Amino acid sequence: MTSDQNIIYFVTGNLHKFNEVLDLFNKEKINFLLKQINIETIEIQADSIREVASFKLNSIKGQIKGTYFIEDAGFFVDNPLNGFPGVYSSYVMKTIRNKGIQRLIDDFTKTQAHFTSVIALYFQPLNKNFFFEGNVYGKVSKTIRGSGGFGFDPIFLPNIKPNKTFAELTTTEKNRISHRGQAWKKFLTFLKEIKY
Ligand code: ITT
């Protein structure tokens, strides 16, 4: 069992995600230290990222002494795939990958897609769970572009910067507009305002 008072543990096996959150964390004055910890979590098949995140958070209970969070994300092609891969994002990334998604699309100009991120926090001083959600909207790119980021980043064109895929942005640029960045902003407000 791990224990430390001023540490917040980010439970993730995905170093890309951790580095994005670390970049956000380092820009703020927060009275905590961020540490990555990789613990086996349970990822259920549910209808929403929020449900998956909630279950995943509860599956860690009792394994870390202190405050910790997980983050669950998904990529949704709303048009023309009615939200696929969504909660199946990990599996799709492992199997058909970005090329497989592109093969399912005829007209890229009409695509609508979004990422959702849910940060699920267990805040030890209050013995309570909290959730922070962020979304970013855009289109699917016809070509795979960029070497930054990870996962679906090379095929996502955010509406705010429609000429670049997420993989063509720096970590800081992506964080400024991304689903994870949005969820993070809410998490940060919580950390700054919470009285305990
Ligand atoms: P954890 O250990 O934190 O669970 P994970 O890689 O399993 O890491 P998720 O379940 O949250 O992460 O992500 C589901 C899939 O979506 C996975 O294949 C990721 O590569 C992809 N993904 C998540 N965030 C992304 C982002 O910001 N940009 C592109 N793809 C992303």
Side-chain angles (χ1 to χ4, degrees), residues 82-148:
N82 294 326
F84 181 81
V87 291
Y88 306 105
S89 292
S90 277
Y91 188 66
V92 165
M93 185 43 68
K94 276 187 217 131
T95 52
I96 63 171
R97 306 181 62 83
N98 286 323
K99 269 215 155 66
I101 299 256
Q102 287 174 318
R103 276 193 207 107
L104 301 172
I105 298 169
D106 289 324
D107 185 353
F108 285 81
T109 60
K110 290 207 184 101
T111 53
Q112 286 179 342
H114 74 274
F115 278 106
T116 294
S117 159
V118 173
I119 293 175
L121 168 76
Y122 169 71
F123 193 65
Q124 197 258 336
L126 298 179
N127 188 27
K128 233 178 132 179
N129 294 344
F130 295 89
F131 297 86
F132 311 95
E133 182 173 329
N135 294 284
V136 61
Y137 296 86
K139 288 187 176 305
V140 180
S141 166
K142 193 175 179 174
T143 51
I144 292 177
R145 279 168 29 201
S147 55

Side-chain angles (χ1 to χ4, degrees), residues 3-9 31-35 66-68:
S3 154
D4 229 313
Q5 267 196 333
N6 285 318
I7 295 177
I8 291 191
Y9 292 97
N31 203 13
F32 288 97
L33 196 74
L34 184 71
K35 281 201 178 174
T67 292
Y68 55 88

Side-chain angles (χ1 to χ4, degrees), residues 16-32:
H16 296 283
K17 270 171 107 167
F18 180 75
N19 286 335
E20 285 183 11
V21 169
L22 188 64
D23 179 79
L24 290 159
F25 200 89
N26 285 341
K27 289 189 168 63
E28 303 293 333
K29 268 199 151 163
I30 313 170
N31 203 13
F32 288 97

Side-chain angles (χ1 to χ4, degrees), residues 10-14 17 20 38 41 43 56 71-75 89-91 93-94 115 150-153 166 174 179-180:
F10 181 7
V11 183
T12 179
N14 186 327
K17 270 171 107 167
E20 285 183 11
N38 193 1
T41 56
E43 199 149 333
K56 199 163 161 182
E71 189 258 358
D72 214 76
F75 179 57
S89 292
S90 277
Y91 188 66
M93 185 43 68
K94 276 187 217 131
F115 278 106
F150 64 102
F152 303 95
D153 284 346
F166 260 3
K174 179 183 167 187
H179 48 311
R180 192 163 294 109

